[in-house]
Amino acid sequence: MSRLITRRRFLIGSTLTASALGLSGCDALVESDRTKSVLKIAEGFSMKTQRFLLGDDALAREFGEADLSPVFRANGTSMPDNPHYLEWMNSQFSTWKLEVGGLVEKPAQLSLAQLKAMPSRTQITRHDCVEGWSAIGKWSGLPLGALLQSVGLKPEARYIVFHCADEYEKTLDGSGWYYESIDLVDAFHPQTILAYSMNGRDLEVAHGAPLRLRVERQLGYKQAKYLTRIEAVAELGRLYGGNGGFWEDRGYEWYAGI
């Protein structure tokens, strides 16, 4: 166990170091093609090494009820500044629907009630934030893999993109909307769920109501909140900044494995 903890801390530290380059006045370094190339190589090596050592289906550690954190900080946005979201919230999300599309055989729009009626998974796991804090929470939701199987992925689909209701930055080109993506290995991992419950209660707004992603083998910024649309795609380069996520477009690693 100590080896796993040491490795986890090393990986978090590595992510913090690389990400901090874009936040500490070293923008010119981060923007250089040479630096980007080196970071991409290192990121790819990290992903391949982790999956080789742990396997595609290895589970993140799960805890017991007694381990739940008394306080679980909200990461990122705590209240989307979005008229549509406010309407959904005021209706207790009865009018909200999750759109599932892109490279799928049977596009769908699913209400929260429909998602809750599907087979669910509950897990108690640790959330590790890139800012350096951690908390243990109990999550319940629909396994993403089961949803993808129900709509049928087309052969060319390679990534799953999560579009969110929070506009993290106001931009003219729409690149300020929060989004994330994972590959099919993580999409079909048994602990990757679309969570609608935290600690036995419906998600609070600050924690991503009505639905958020939990991909337990990656850092906190991958756990996209306020989901509105899931899209299967063949490549990530055509989305916003082309790096597969809001923070990735600003210098963070796409693969944030722990």
Side-chain angles (χ1 to χ4, degrees), residues 221-236:
Y221 64 87
K222 300 293 291 189
Q223 325 294 327
K225 303 195 298 185
Y226 313 114
L227 298 182
T228 59
R229 182 162 61 97
I230 294 176
E231 180 184 13
V233 301
E235 57 183 291
L236 299 173

Side-chain angles (χ1 to χ4, degrees), residues 90-131:
N90 289 334
S91 72
Q92 297 183 319
F93 300 104
S94 63
T95 58
W96 169 94
K97 287 190 176 181
L98 177 70
E99 180 181 343
V100 185
L103 297 174
V104 300
E105 300 291 349
K106 297 179 289 184
Q109 289 190 335
L110 300 166
S111 69
L112 186 58
Q114 287 175 306
L115 293 172
K116 287 184 174 182
M118 296 178 183
S120 66
R121 175 186 173 90
T122 296
Q123 56 203 31
I124 300 177
T125 53
R126 189 170 76 182
H127 178 104
D128 287 300
C129 182
V130 73
E131 294 175 345

Side-chain angles (χ1 to χ4, degrees), residues 72-91:
F72 198 117
R73 293 169 55 182
N75 61 309
T77 303
S78 58
M79 172 60 80
D81 181 15
N82 178 339
H84 294 296
Y85 184 83
L86 295 177
E87 291 177 7
W88 295 327
M89 185 180 67
N90 289 334
S91 72

Side-chain angles (χ1 to χ4, degrees), residues 36 40 173-176 179 236-246 248-250:
K36 288 180 180 179
K40 285 291 185 184
D173 62 358
S175 62
Y179 79 105
L236 299 173
R238 297 183 181 181
L239 293 167
Y240 301 114
N243 296 296
F246 175 87
E248 290 87 329
D249 289 342
R250 290 155 178 81

